[in-house]
Amino acid sequence: MKYNAKKAIAVGIVLIIFGLGIFSFVCIKEKAKTADGIPVECTVTDVTIIGKRRYADGYYLDKDGNQVDVEIVNVGRVYVNDTIDAYILPDNPNTAQVKSPMSLMLFAGAFSGIVCLGGLFIIKSVLKEVSEKKLLDAEGKFTKGRIIDVRVDGDKNLKFYFAKISYQDADGIEHTFEDCDDKHRLSRAGEIVNVRYAVKKNGKYANDVI
């Protein structure tokens, strides 16, 4: 498939930065609770359920034994008179933040990892295609190939044609590969196309339709 390699690599880099940014944000936010926060034991006095979210009010005793009413943030399944370990940030003593459950941290880590792997996959694929194109430009041989199967993906505004192509090299050995294009030149099975191929260092073949 023909595309702008620089833009594709840029997309991959953005995905990696985005994935790392999400995980860093969650970790920094969580660290702020424990590093800057004052640990307190809150008693729940009221629970409000809106949709699937729970909101709780409660109180804790400060160092002088005074009762301080608070809004408890990030609560899970809690009930009135439950006690919760939470943190109070010095600049906001009327809000108690509950430490996020491990499941949230695992989800954030897994999601960030998937996004980063997606970015790495894009970059690796682009670099591979750029390397193969350089090899084909320098050492490519030309022959005729036949489209043996076509798979169409996309919508009515933009369709991508994934064509499975068969050809024989100079030694008469038959090869098949898949190429993709958004043009109609790869849209019909049985059509003859011009193929370029070259042998890579690992013995595998680089191919494209010209």
Side-chain angles (χ1 to χ4, degrees):
M1 182 177 177
K2 309 300 185 291
Y3 53 83
N4 190 310
K6 289 183 179 180
K7 287 185 178 180
I9 291 176
V11 170
I13 293 173
V14 168
L15 285 175
I16 293 173
I17 294 173
F18 178 68
L20 293 175
I22 291 175
F23 190 65
S24 297
F25 173 78
V26 173
C27 289
I28 291 171
K29 187 176 180 181
E30 213 42 43
K31 186 178 180 180
K33 296 179 187 178
T34 56
D36 302 329
I38 302 168
V40 295
E41 186 177 83
C42 295
T43 300
V44 179
T45 58
D46 184 62
V47 177
T48 303
I49 301 175
I50 301 177
K52 295 184 178 180
R53 301 195 64 178
R54 287 173 177 255
Y55 301 87
D57 293 319
Y59 68 88
Y60 69 92
L61 300 178
D62 64 16
K63 61 182 180 180
D64 298 320
N66 299 315
Q67 178 176 311
V68 181
D69 293 328
V70 292
E71 176 187 1
I72 306 173
V73 179
N74 197 30
V75 295
R77 188 175 294 276
V78 296
Y79 302 93
V80 174
N81 295 325
D82 281 355
T83 56
I84 301 174
D85 293 325
Y87 293 89
I88 301 295
L89 296 179
D91 59 349
N92 192 8
N94 295 112
T95 300
Q97 299 193 50
V98 180
K99 189 174 181 179
S100 299
M102 183 57 67
S103 58
L104 176 62
M105 299 298 294
L106 291 175
F107 175 79
F111 180 77
S112 299
I114 291 172
V115 173
C116 289
L117 286 175
L120 287 172
F121 177 78
I122 290 174
I123 292 173
K124 183 180 178 181
S125 299
V126 172
L127 292 177
K128 178 184 176 183
E129 289 206 16
V130 169
S131 175
E132 288 186 352
K133 185 178 184 307
K134 288 182 178 179
L135 176 65
L136 289 166
D137 288 341
E139 304 177 15
K141 298 179 181 179
F142 299 89
T143 187
K144 296 290 184 180
R146 181 185 297 273
I147 299 175
I148 57 178
D149 187 44
V150 178
R151 175 171 56 89
V152 183
D153 197 3
D155 54 35
K156 62 180 181 180
N157 296 319
L158 181 60
K159 291 183 178 180
F160 293 97
Y161 300 91
F162 295 84
K164 188 176 182 181
I165 300 162
S166 174
Y167 72 93
Q168 288 187 349
D169 63 21
D171 298 320
I173 301 174
E174 187 169 342
H175 303 270
T176 58
F177 70 99
E178 187 177 77
D179 202 355
C180 174
D181 208 319
D182 58 354
K183 309 299 181 185
H184 288 281
R185 67 191 184 114
L186 299 179
S187 63
R188 291 185 294 274
E191 192 167 276
I192 302 300
V193 292
N194 295 313
V195 172
R196 184 173 58 165
Y197 69 92
V199 183
K200 297 187 285 187
K201 290 182 179 179
N202 60 7
K204 295 182 178 180
Y205 279 63
N207 321 268
D208 69 355
V209 175
I210 57 174

